[in-house]
């Protein structure tokens, strides 16, 4: 796999390095002496000698207690058995970057009918391992039905066709897209669980749609408005909820309070959870827009505060601890919302990197932004003072459609 080379930029320095995208620092372990002693004697833990033994002289279940609270990058450097351990179910999962990537060039025609159609799909899912800074391809989604998604079309030279995905309860969910003949591409949500490394389908959508608002909160997926095979005012006002906390046999879509009109079917937008409510606007960028806030506890819609809607000029994401971020796609400024003053506070101004932002995700102390027409992912360390920003390159020949932060995959083959 190709390593991701990143460019770090601070207000005073600029360097080039290979770096991890996520904050994986765990708490200091009271057993840290175990790792120190093991590192000193690392020659005893070679790939060819006692690969299954983590720490000589200790049963593995005790060795796992010692090693689990250490930074995975430390364990990765020592020996193969420790590298295997950090990618196993026994090690606490650290955050990784997950992406939906599109091929930049047309793929070759199949050589025969038996050739795996997944190999010829222009869309692939990858994860960036923050420890080794390498891209790993996710297992292929189910081939029945085969994914047929549109992201670019000759009729839309100046813009891309949206493919909408989100994260919920530590899983990646592909929820809405446009297929051939400009019809909704997904009849069921398609989800990936990083811990099991398996794909699965959600319950069938009452009305498959595209150009909708999608969001997640409290272990549930919300889909609002949109267009089905044709425009329908009832669909454009509808709101559906899929509670993933229920048993699979009980999965369904529940109708929630409808929007007051169909204005949110104009564009594919994100519905972002903020303080127990879903917030969304109906148009991206600096255009005049309408905002709406859904109170999930009371199942009702409210008006969005004027200051919030006034600064919502690009993709937005929730970063934990009640931090709502937005990137001004025209000016390249990352801001966070101040609810007390109903205003937006600038976090970092970097037009040369962030201008043209298309998608955003946040977590683990990082905000990750797809920009440059999908040519790069900008990563902002919002915990550092001042914030640091660097660039992660996608695998060669690919452009980024969407980016998410999820727990790393288990790799039993290591």
């Amino acid at each position: 796999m190709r390593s991701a080379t990143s460019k770090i930029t601070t207000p005073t320095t600029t360097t080039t390095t290979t770096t991890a995208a996520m904050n994986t620092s765990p708490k200091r372990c009271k057993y840290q002496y175990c790792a120190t002693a093991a590192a000193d004697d690392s020659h005893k833990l070679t790939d060819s000698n006692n690969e299954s033994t983590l720490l000589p002289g200790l049963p593995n279940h005790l060795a796992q207690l010692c090693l689990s609270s250490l930074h995975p990058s430390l364990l990765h450097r020592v020996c193969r058995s420790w590298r295997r351990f950090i990618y196993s179910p026994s090690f606490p999962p650290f955050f990784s970057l997950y992406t939906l990537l599109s091929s930049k060039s047309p793929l070759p025609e199949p050589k025969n009918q038996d050739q795996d159609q997944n190999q010829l799909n222009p869309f692939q899912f990858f994860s960036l391992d923050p420890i080794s800074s390498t891209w790993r391809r996710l297992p292929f989604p189910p081939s029945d039905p085969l994914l047929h998604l549109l992201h670019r079309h000759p009729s839309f030279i100046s813009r891309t066709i949206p493919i909408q995905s989100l994260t919920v309860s530590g899983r990646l969910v592909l929820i809405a897209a446009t297929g051939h003949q400009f019809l909704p591409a997904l009849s069921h949500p398609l989800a990936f669980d990083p811990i099991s490394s398996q794909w699965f389908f959600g319950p069938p959508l009452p009305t498959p749609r595209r150009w909708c608002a999608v969001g997640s909160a409290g272990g549930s997926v919300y889909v609002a408005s949109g267009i089905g095979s044709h425009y329908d005012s009832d669909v454009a006002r509808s709101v559906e909820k899929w509670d993933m906390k229920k048993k699979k046999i009980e999965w369904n879509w529940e109708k929630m309070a409808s929007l007051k009109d169909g204005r949110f079917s104009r564009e594919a937008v994100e519905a972002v959870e903020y303080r127990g409510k879903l917030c969304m606007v109906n148009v991206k960028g600096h255009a005049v827009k309408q905002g709406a806030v859904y109170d999930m506890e009371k199942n009702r819609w409210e008006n969005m505060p004027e200051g919030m809607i006034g600064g919502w000029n690009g993709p937005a994401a929730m970063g934990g601890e009640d931090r709502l971020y937005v990137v001004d796609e025209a000016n390249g400024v990352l801001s966070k919302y101040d609810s007390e003053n109903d205003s937006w506070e600038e976090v970092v101004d970097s037009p040369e990197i962030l201008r043209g932002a298309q998608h955003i995700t946040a977590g683990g102390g990082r905000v990750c932004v797809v920009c440059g027409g999908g040519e790069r992912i900008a990563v902002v360390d919002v915990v550092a003072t001042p914030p640091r920003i660097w660039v992660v390159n996608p695998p060669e020949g690919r452009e980024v459609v969407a980016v998410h932060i999820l727990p790393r995959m288990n790799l039993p083959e290591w």
Side-chain angles (χ1 to χ4, degrees), residues 22-23 95 167 216 271-275 277 312 315-326 334-337 344 347 360-368 380-383 405:
M22 299 294 98
N23 181 6
F95 285 130
T167 59
S216 64
V272 184
E273 179 190 12
Y274 181 67
R275 296 191 172 182
K277 300 180 180 181
W312 199 310
M318 184 66 182
E321 299 182 359
D322 290 336
R323 293 182 179 178
L324 175 61
Y325 294 97
V326 67
L334 174 67
S335 303
K336 65 179 179 180
Y337 182 63
W344 293 88
V347 176
I360 180 177
T361 189
R366 307 289 191 264
V367 175
C368 304
V380 183
D381 182 348
V382 293
V383 178
I405 296 173

Side-chain angles (χ1 to χ4, degrees), residues 243-259:
D243 188 350
M244 295 184 69
K245 300 187 302 299
K246 293 182 178 180
K247 296 179 180 179
K248 188 173 182 179
I249 195 173
E250 299 174 348
W251 281 352
N252 66 344
W253 288 94
E254 178 184 357
K255 287 189 176 295
M256 310 306 290
S258 298
L259 292 157

Side-chain angles (χ1 to χ4, degrees), residues 30-208:
K30 65 180 180 180
Y31 300 108
Q32 192 157 352
Y33 70 90
C34 296
T36 303
D40 292 338
D41 297 329
S42 61
H43 63 279
K44 299 178 182 179
L45 294 173
T46 63
D47 291 350
S48 59
N49 182 28
N50 282 337
E51 253 192 54
S52 61
T53 301
L54 294 174
L55 291 174
L58 279 181
N60 271 357
H61 71 281
L62 294 180
Q64 289 175 2
L65 291 177
C66 292
L67 300 178
S68 291
S69 295
L70 296 174
H71 198 290
S73 63
L74 170 64
L75 306 183
H76 188 272
R77 300 189 191 106
V78 178
C79 61
R80 182 176 175 83
S81 63
W82 288 15
R83 287 195 294 272
R84 292 180 62 185
F85 174 54
I86 66 175
Y87 295 107
S88 74
S90 301
F91 191 83
F94 45 84
F95 285 130
S96 294
L97 203 61
Y98 288 75
T99 58
L100 171 60
L101 303 177
S102 174
S103 176
K104 289 183 178 180
S105 57
L107 296 177
E109 293 293 329
K111 296 180 180 179
N112 55 67
Q113 292 182 349
D114 297 329
Q115 187 170 355
D116 188 353
Q117 294 298 309
N118 274 313
Q119 297 281 357
L120 302 175
N121 195 322
F123 298 97
Q124 304 288 348
F125 295 87
F126 281 74
S127 173
L128 176 63
D129 180 355
I131 304 304
S132 62
S133 294
T134 57
W135 288 99
R136 304 185 190 278
R137 190 196 306 269
L138 271 61
F140 288 119
S143 57
D144 185 19
L146 189 66
L147 280 179
H148 289 290
L149 310 178
L150 286 180
H151 186 53
R152 298 188 184 278
H153 193 274
S155 300
F156 298 89
I157 298 176
S158 62
R159 66 176 302 171
T160 57
I161 300 173
I163 300 173
Q164 296 178 264
S165 56
L166 50 82
T167 59
V168 55
S169 300
R171 288 168 282 190
L172 170 66
V173 180
L174 188 63
I175 193 74
T178 300
H180 297 306
Q181 300 180 347
F182 290 94
L183 296 175
L186 298 167
S187 60
H188 299 65
L190 177 60
F192 179 75
D193 184 350
I195 303 303
S196 65
S197 294
Q198 292 183 344
W199 291 91
F200 60 92
F201 287 105
L205 287 154
T207 304

